[in-house]
Amino acid sequence: MELRRKGQGQEGKGESLSYKAAGVDIEAGYEVVRRIKGLARSTFRPEVVGDIGGFGGGFALKVSGSGAMRNPVLVSGTDGVGTKLKIAFMMNKHDTVGVDVVAYCVNDIICHGAEPLFFLDYFACGKLDPAQAEDVVKGVADGCRQAGCALIGGETAEMPGFYPEGEYDLAGFAVGVVERNELIDGSKVAPGDAIIGIASSGLQSSGFSLTRKVLFDVAGYSVFDEVPELGTIDGRAKTLGEELLTPTLVYARPVLQLRRDFELRGIANISGGGLPENLPRAMAEGTRARIEWGTWPVHPIFDLIQRTGNISGDEMIRTYNLGIGIAVIVDSESADGVVEALARMGHAAYIIGRVEEGPKGVEIVNLD
């Protein structure tokens, strides 16, 4: 192939085309990297090898010497923010959804007792806005710092014509480590164990397709409408958008501290599918969960959604977390101590049920 200077040759006698003319601004991509390097470095752990900008992120897993793991198992997870991003677009606020993408990946891998080590993100848009991308990565870096993991790389993709103007998609990938003999897989869960629910921050990042249909399409709310029943912020009623954009809690530090102080027999991230879908994934065959409805407070946002959309209780339970972000299963004698320990770490927690013998599943009792 012969490379010609601009204007040489007979083909394409009109405007000289370029990648930028086709919708991809390489310089904007370089600008994003310049903006986010410092954000990524703020999350680095001592094990990080190299810097942002290479073709891959390096992480030195300690397998020899002082403090080395004897039989390490890497645990990985991936997830996205989903249609919660639509709320960010409506509000033109992009500095919190990055926390969500970290939380949803990290909250999965800690269910196996793994300490989060590093994280990578994937940001794709139609036209790259460096300031918007920087805001998104600010949230990612914030989430990584909360989780104690390093943001060691990622991908920024500009794809003209693929996304509506101003919109993007965001996904992430987390890797953690745990000693094989400390791996939590639910196999030790036994009848009589207690189920403890750690409070969520609200919707977190699940159920937004139904939420948007109910609150915006059916009820006609705007993200800027103040809704007094959702509480106050800065001395005024919280807007619906502020409530919906509340970031997902990152549970890595409290759960790992619990793992050091107690025997955690099962851990479940209560995301899409609610308690019925997620809790059995953390339990042994031949055990089932009996959940006592009314043993924890339900966020007002869930009452608003159910009332406005005339949604059945069963549909709410299998769609939303309803106020429980993580469920941990421990022996019954440890239950009160776990709740007290979480309170000292700033996390509200409740004994919400117990484990019984029977086919794997979840029974919720005392529903109206």
Side-chain angles (χ1 to χ4, degrees):
M1 175 182 179
E2 180 186 1
L3 292 178
R4 297 188 295 269
R5 292 187 179 90
K6 180 179 178 181
Q8 287 183 324
Q10 298 300 312
E11 299 85 355
K13 293 183 179 180
E15 178 185 359
S16 178
L17 294 179
S18 66
Y19 211 6
K20 185 173 183 178
V24 178
D25 189 341
I26 296 174
E27 290 300 325
Y30 295 157
E31 175 64 18
V32 170
V33 174
R34 286 192 287 269
R35 287 173 179 246
I36 68 176
K37 271 189 173 182
L39 295 171
R41 289 182 186 127
S42 73
T43 71
F44 279 9
R45 296 166 50 119
E47 302 95 334
V48 174
V49 177
D51 198 2
I52 297 296
F55 291 100
F59 193 93
L61 188 62
K62 195 169 183 62
V63 293
S64 63
S66 176
M69 303 190 81
R70 297 175 61 88
N71 196 3
V73 174
L74 294 178
V75 180
S76 61
T78 183
D79 212 330
V81 181
T83 59
K84 183 173 185 174
L85 291 175
K86 287 289 189 181
I87 313 301
F89 305 150
M90 291 176 185
M91 297 190 69
N92 193 27
K93 180 175 171 57
H94 308 282
D95 58 354
T96 61
V97 291
V99 178
D100 291 295
V101 75
V102 175
Y104 260 54
C105 295
V106 164
N107 290 347
D108 276 348
I109 68 174
I110 63 172
C111 290
H112 297 287
E115 176 187 355
L117 297 177
F118 58 86
F119 187 85
L120 299 98
D121 63 354
Y122 174 78
F123 176 87
C125 61
K127 181 175 177 56
L128 194 55
D129 176 344
Q132 181 192 67
E134 181 183 18
D135 276 349
V136 172
V137 179
K138 281 180 182 177
V140 175
D142 183 13
C144 286
R145 288 191 294 268
Q146 291 182 47
C149 64
L151 174 59
I152 63 170
E155 168 69 3
T156 301
E158 192 173 25
M159 301 190 290
F162 200 81
Y163 295 96
E165 183 177 354
E167 297 194 3
Y168 54 84
D169 198 8
L170 181 64
F173 314 87
V175 174
V177 67
V178 61
E179 286 277 17
R180 182 179 289 275
N181 64 353
E182 296 177 0
L183 187 68
I184 298 171
D185 60 5
S187 60
K188 295 182 179 179
V189 171
D193 286 347
I195 303 170
I196 296 168
I198 309 176
S200 71
S201 60
L203 282 173
Q204 307 221 119
S205 293
S206 295
F208 272 82
S209 295
L210 177 58
T211 298
R212 289 168 42 242
K213 183 172 184 61
V214 168
L215 297 182
F216 301 136
D217 297 347
V218 175
Y221 278 107
S222 159
V223 290
F224 302 108
D225 288 341
E226 294 185 354
V227 185
E229 69 184 275
L230 298 179
T232 61
I233 184 171
D234 298 329
R236 57 167 176 77
K238 189 184 295 185
T239 67
L240 183 59
E242 287 169 332
E243 173 65 33
L244 297 182
L245 273 190
T246 301
T248 306
L249 291 178
V250 179
Y251 297 100
R253 294 187 188 274
V255 167
L256 292 177
Q257 184 60 52
L258 287 179
R259 190 195 67 177
R260 289 187 281 270
D261 297 337
F262 300 90
E263 181 191 19
L264 304 184
R265 298 180 174 179
I267 310 174
N269 182 19
I270 311 304
S271 53
L275 286 164
E277 178 179 320
N278 292 289
L279 193 49
R281 298 164 64 186
M283 300 178 66
E285 293 295 334
T287 62
R288 60 187 291 104
R290 178 183 174 90
I291 302 298
E292 300 281 344
W293 184 255
T295 52
W296 74 90
V298 175
H299 288 270
I301 185 62
F302 298 115
D303 293 328
L304 176 65
I305 293 168
Q306 183 175 21
R307 183 178 70 250
T308 305
N310 191 28
I311 303 171
S312 70
D314 286 343
E315 186 67 16
M316 292 293 295
I317 287 168
R318 70 181 188 179
T319 303
Y320 297 106
N321 68 66
L322 298 181
I324 300 298
I326 288 279
V328 298
I329 302 173
V330 299
D331 69 276
S332 59
E333 293 182 359
S334 299
D336 289 335
V338 169
V339 170
E340 293 167 4
L342 285 163
R344 290 193 295 270
M345 290 184 273
H347 288 269
Y350 315 90
I351 301 173
I352 63 172
R354 65 179 184 272
V355 177
E356 297 182 340
E357 185 177 356
K360 187 183 285 191
V362 174
E363 178 187 9
I364 300 180
V365 299
N366 297 330
L367 285 170
D368 294 335

